[in-house]
Amino acid sequence: MKILLDPGHGLNTPGKRSPDGQFLEAIYNREIAKRIVAKLQNKGYDAELLVPEEEDISLNERVRRTNEHCQTLGKSNVILLSIHVNAAGNGSQWMNATGWSCYTCKGQTESDRLADCLYKAAEQILENQVIRTDYARDGDPDWEENFYILRHSLCPAVLVEQFFMDNKKNLAYLISDEGKRNLIDVIVSGLESFCSLSFPFHEH
Ligand SMILES: [Zn+2]
């Protein structure tokens, strides 16, 4: 199983920072993604960064890289996880939206099973934190959105929005050692439980 970690955005992406300008999403996403890759590799998984570059790489190119792995290894042997931090506003002021969430593209696919595993891990690990769920639409916890990278990747693919960078309390948690450790553990433990289940692959 090849696990691809996609750190959202690049250093040259406009916006994508906290209202006080101290927190840059691209830098944070890279730190978390790199630490997840290292942890997975230590556990013996074949994990790598989809975007080792610091600058923004187009969604088209991210999908191309992902699908190249899918063609080489078979799409049921690849997982794509895109790492982000959410924002409720346009970055000019502090907002109140809060919580951790995970997105899949629309419809029921292997990605939903992966999202379920991540939600279970989040509920166990992110104690006293808000987990944002969307049970109302289709009975599962993940949010469904046809994000380009989710819609066009051939393998199971999810996008994680790790709390809100324009919420003061969320930001304090995001940058704390405990917060970082827990966010990394959620992804690693969710991926581990997904990999330990061998469900038949469905057309994405
Ligand atoms: Zn983002």
Side-chain angles (χ1 to χ4, degrees), residues 15-135:
K16 309 290 180 191
R17 63 194 65 207
S18 60
D20 61 8
Q22 297 301 304
F23 176 95
L24 287 177
E25 188 191 348
I27 292 180
Y28 189 80
N29 292 343
R30 272 165 182 70
E31 179 189 344
I32 298 297
K34 279 179 192 166
R35 287 174 61 179
I36 291 168
V37 166
K39 198 155 187 186
L40 287 169
Q41 286 174 346
N42 279 339
K43 288 172 175 280
Y45 288 94
D46 178 9
E48 66 183 70
L49 285 182
L50 182 69
V51 178
E53 297 95 335
E54 297 289 310
E55 74 267 25
D56 194 36
I57 298 299
S58 71
L59 289 168
N60 191 49
E61 170 61 12
R62 289 168 197 251
V63 167
R64 193 199 64 74
R65 290 177 188 181
T66 303
N67 289 344
E68 196 171 71
H69 287 294
C70 296
Q71 270 143 26
T72 314
L73 302 167
K75 61 187 177 181
S76 55
N77 297 316
V78 181
I79 293 173
L80 173 69
L81 218 139
S82 192
I83 302 283
H84 286 258
V85 178
N86 218 338
N90 62 7
S92 64
Q93 55 184 323
W94 296 103
M95 309 290 284
N96 294 317
T98 180
W100 180 99
S101 54
C102 179
Y103 289 80
T104 65
C105 64
K106 294 188 177 167
Q108 205 61 29
T109 67
E110 278 295 280
S111 305
D112 293 271
R113 297 200 186 278
L114 173 53
D116 281 348
C117 292
L118 291 166
Y119 267 98
K120 284 205 183 89
E123 272 150 25
Q124 282 166 10
I125 295 167
L126 301 176
E127 279 178 281
N128 306 319
Q129 299 293 327
V130 176
I131 312 290
R132 304 177 77 228
T133 55
D134 179 34
Y135 283 104

